[in-house]
């Protein structure tokens, strides 16, 4: 039995939930966030800079930023790089502790998403996780 933990990242927590990312990374070797020592994304990086990394690396994105699915540049990168996103919906004013509890409570449903092919998106609320309809690709005729 190999006692060494697998250090390969599988989850990327967006900077907008940095305390959540740090808490999860403190207990899980497969979680990274902007500024993490094993993550090439720095604090302050724009969504358009890190979305390709997350998708190309096959990481599961955890974020509160539901607008990623609707802004043309981010939407295009989300789809092009096959990002797998979990959107913490209705968590905007949620205390950090409650957000952490919600994620941990539903972790058994989150973890298998590492094996799902992207692009895909899910909503996570206190009630549970559900698949979201992927946005249509941006109209390039404009």
């Amino acid at each position: 039995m190999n006692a060494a933990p697998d250090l390969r990242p599988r989850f990327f927590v967006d900077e907008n939930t940095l305390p959540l990312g740090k808490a999860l990374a403190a207990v899980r070797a497969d979680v990274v966030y902007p500024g993490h020592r094993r993550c090439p994304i720095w604090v302050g990086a724009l969504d358009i800079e890190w979305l390709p990394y997350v998708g190309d690396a096959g990481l599961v994105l955890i974020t509160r930023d539901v607008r990623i699915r609707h802004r043309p540049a981010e939407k295009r990168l989300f789809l092009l790089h096959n990002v797998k996103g979990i959107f913490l919906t209705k968590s905007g004013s949620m205390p950090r502790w409650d957000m952490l509890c919600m994620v941990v409570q539903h972790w058994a449903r989150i973890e298998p998403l590492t094996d799902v092919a992207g692009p895909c998106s899910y909503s996570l609320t206190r009630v549970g996780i559900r698949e979201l309809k992927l946005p249509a690709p941006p109209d390039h005729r404009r």
Side-chain angles (χ1 to χ4, degrees), residues 117-135:
C120 55
S121 62
Y122 298 85
S123 168
L124 178 64
T125 64
R126 293 177 197 262
V127 176
I129 191 167
R130 68 178 176 84
E131 191 165 5
L132 295 171
K133 182 181 176 190
L134 282 173

Side-chain angles (χ1 to χ4, degrees), residues 21-95:
K22 289 181 178 184
L24 290 171
V27 295
R28 295 193 58 94
D30 58 354
V31 176
V32 295
Y33 52 83
H36 186 279
R37 62 181 169 32
R38 291 187 297 109
C39 182
I41 307 302
W42 60 95
V43 173
L46 301 174
D47 294 353
I48 59 171
E49 295 171 319
W50 59 257
L51 277 167
Y53 161 73
V54 170
D56 294 349
L59 305 180
V60 175
L61 165 65
I62 300 175
T63 183
R64 287 188 321 196
D65 187 359
V66 295
R67 295 172 306 193
I68 287 174
R69 298 177 59 243
H70 304 289
R71 288 188 299 250
E74 285 95 334
K75 179 177 19 177
R76 183 178 64 74
L77 291 170
F78 189 95
L79 297 171
L80 182 65
H81 292 276
N82 298 313
V83 175
K84 301 179 277 190
I86 298 174
F87 296 89
L88 307 179
T89 53
K90 300 182 183 173
S91 67
S93 61
M94 186 181 283

Side-chain angles (χ1 to χ4, degrees), residues 97-120:
W97 175 253
D98 291 347
M99 191 182 312
L100 176 61
C101 288
M102 177 179 70
V103 170
V104 171
Q105 175 187 357
H106 298 291
W107 194 260
R109 297 263 333 268
I110 293 170
E111 191 156 23
L113 299 178
T114 60
D115 296 325
V116 173
C120 55

